[in-house]
Amino acid sequence: MSESLQTTDVTWSNTQYPTVPTVTDSPFIKLQKDYRKLHGYISCIVCIFGLSSNIINMIVLTRKHMIKPVNFILTALAGADFLTMLTYLVYAAYFYIAKEPIWQANHTYAWMCFIMIHNHFIIICHNMSLWFTVYLAVLRYKFVCNNTFGYREYSLKRTIITVTIISNVILVLCIPNFFMYKVIALSDIVDPNVSGYWIVDSDFVKKHIFYKVSIFWFFGVVMKILPCILLTFFICRIIHTMYRSEKQREQLQEQARLSTHGRHRDNIRTTRMLIAVVLICVLTEMPQGIFALISCLDDRFFEDIYSNIGDILDLLVLFNSSVNFILYCSMSRQYRDTFRKLFSFRTAHCHNQLRQINHTR
């Protein structure tokens, strides 16, 4: 299911058994047909890399000397991203590779239940990831804009409490999604001789049309655009403050600059890395929010464009969930050093075990 469309994905929300798409000259429909054949393989590769890299992130960031407020947020972010891709890997492998095309497969009741669980699960995890990123930007903004304030007020305990609150709030906000859909036998809506199951709007949604519209607005627009606006604001403020700080440092005496030169460079590298994390999040999330907003105002846009690029938007979400490992390795010396020490230690440990085994022989 297209997570980018949140709970209103056209593939599964139809109340009738879908048929093979009508041949048309629309470039977006053609794009959807051509890319759909590749989406399963590409997304599976991204998911496998993302699952592995986020496990590494959690291992590295939870080392004793790495436990800091910002790193705890990055650990929570890695956990949310890991869970986001966990069920998507199964979903992509089955519905895009094993059972392509989807509309011609007689799916079992169990797989339709999996789809519903997957959809709710991925919405919860992805929204947690998004708001963890907002919290990360807020924390770095506090540090950059008031260096004397720093992380002292943002202790590890306070960070853990805040992350827990964000997780619980997102979970509560996502409860209305649980009432959106139900699984139904195709024999009840198509033909008694047709086997298989499908997902349709729940009876509650059919009786309350506005409920589904409200869910779409809240998760498709508000929960996408609002955090992106906040992230953009904090990025601009951080960059502006860094630029102004550099100008002020250039006016200081040479001796004063050199006394904190190494520490200052570490702070700059950390800030740039976090800016990159936040910026990629904005670039992958903002288009979805804008498209969803236009779709709310123009039904034709939803049918002609948005519904045909859902797979591509899903890939952007997966990319955002898997790229942080590359950013950490390329922009954080402390992360690289910790990763290198862990890897070299495990490699040396394995070699020692092999030597002992060979020696006993």
Side-chain angles (χ1 to χ4, degrees):
M1 181 176 307
S2 175
E3 192 275 337
S4 60
L5 296 182
Q6 299 295 350
T7 56
T8 56
D9 182 82
V10 293
T11 304
W12 302 103
S13 62
N14 292 336
T15 56
Q16 296 182 351
Y17 184 60
T19 58
V20 179
T22 305
V23 177
T24 178
D25 294 330
S26 170
F28 290 99
I29 293 181
K30 186 177 184 302
L31 174 64
Q32 191 267 351
K33 288 181 180 179
D34 294 338
Y35 175 71
R36 191 178 187 88
K37 300 174 184 177
L38 303 174
H39 180 70
Y41 299 97
I42 296 175
S43 58
C44 282
I45 293 173
V46 174
C47 283
I48 292 173
F49 172 77
L51 291 171
S52 303
S53 63
N54 279 299
I55 290 176
I56 295 174
N57 288 341
M58 288 185 283
I59 293 174
V60 173
L61 294 171
T62 53
R63 297 308 90 192
K64 187 175 181 179
H65 69 283
M66 295 286 285
I67 298 178
K68 304 172 185 177
V70 165
N71 286 348
F72 181 82
I73 301 174
L74 294 177
T75 303
L77 181 61
D81 288 339
F82 174 86
L83 294 175
T84 297
M85 291 180 287
L86 187 61
T87 60
Y88 199 96
L89 177 62
V90 179
Y91 162 75
Y94 178 78
F95 287 99
Y96 284 85
I97 299 177
K99 292 295 183 179
E100 173 68 19
I102 292 176
W103 56 82
Q104 292 182 356
N106 295 328
H107 304 291
T108 64
Y109 180 82
W111 275 110
M112 291 297 97
C113 290
F114 168 80
I115 279 293
M116 293 183 65
I117 295 173
H118 159 76
N119 192 41
H120 299 321
F121 186 73
I122 203 171
I123 289 173
I124 292 172
C125 295
H126 182 59
N127 277 283
M128 285 183 181
S129 174
L130 188 56
W131 286 97
F132 289 159
T133 307
V134 173
Y135 181 44
L136 179 67
V138 172
L139 195 61
R140 198 61 192 180
Y141 169 77
K142 285 288 186 181
F143 176 78
V144 171
C145 295
N146 191 353
N147 208 346
T148 58
F149 181 80
Y151 293 129
R152 294 174 184 174
E153 285 195 17
Y154 283 89
S155 63
L156 181 61
K157 181 179 180 180
R158 181 175 179 179
T159 304
I160 294 174
I161 293 174
T162 304
V163 169
T164 303
I165 292 174
I166 292 174
S167 302
N168 290 330
V169 169
I170 294 298
L171 183 60
V172 171
L173 290 177
C174 289
I175 290 177
N177 286 320
F178 301 161
F179 305 98
M180 289 288 293
Y181 300 110
K182 67 176 181 178
V183 178
I184 191 171
L186 289 175
S187 58
D188 296 337
I189 60 175
V190 180
D191 188 284
N193 298 322
V194 176
S195 61
Y197 294 84
W198 204 252
I199 295 177
V200 298
D201 291 341
S202 65
D203 295 334
F204 179 81
V205 170
K206 292 177 182 178
K207 293 179 182 179
H208 305 86
I209 304 287
F210 183 74
Y211 184 82
K212 187 173 183 178
V213 176
S214 300
I215 292 295
F216 186 94
W217 267 96
F218 183 70
F219 285 98
V221 180
V222 177
M223 293 292 281
K224 291 287 185 181
I225 293 182
L226 178 59
C228 288
I229 292 175
L230 293 175
L231 290 173
T232 303
F233 168 78
F234 287 119
I235 286 177
C236 293
R237 289 290 297 165
I238 289 172
I239 293 176
H240 173 72
T241 303
M242 288 177 61
Y243 176 79
R244 186 177 59 186
S245 176
E246 284 299 309
K247 290 295 184 181
Q248 292 175 350
R249 281 178 58 82
E250 291 176 358
Q251 298 174 2
L252 298 176
Q253 296 179 357
E254 184 68 17
Q255 184 179 359
R257 291 208 316 268
L258 292 176
S259 62
T260 58
H261 183 66
R263 181 180 176 184
H264 178 74
R265 286 179 62 85
D266 289 340
N267 289 334
I268 291 295
R269 281 195 294 265
T270 300
T271 301
R272 287 176 177 172
M273 182 192 72
L274 298 180
I275 288 176
V277 172
V278 173
L279 185 60
I280 289 178
C281 182
V282 172
L283 293 177
T284 55
E285 296 293 336
M286 183 65 84
Q288 301 177 32
I290 294 175
F291 289 156
L293 176 61
I294 299 175
S295 298
C296 290
L297 305 175
D298 186 356
D299 293 339
R300 294 297 303 172
F301 181 87
F302 179 86
E303 296 175 4
D304 296 340
I305 299 178
Y306 195 16
S307 62
N308 292 308
I309 60 174
D311 291 338
I312 297 176
L313 296 178
D314 277 357
L315 186 63
L316 289 178
V317 171
L318 297 177
F319 174 79
N320 179 44
S321 299
S322 61
V323 75
N324 287 345
F325 172 75
I326 300 175
L327 295 178
Y328 300 160
C329 287
S330 61
M331 304 183 72
S332 173
R333 183 178 60 184
Q334 187 179 30
Y335 183 94
R336 288 196 304 271
D337 292 342
T338 304
F339 174 75
R340 190 181 301 113
K341 290 178 181 178
L342 283 172
F343 181 77
S344 60
F345 171 78
R346 294 179 184 277
T347 303
H349 181 67
C350 292
H351 286 167
N352 290 335
Q353 285 185 329
L354 288 175
R355 291 195 195 99
Q356 292 177 1
I357 293 173
N358 293 331
H359 181 71
T360 56
R361 292 177 181 176

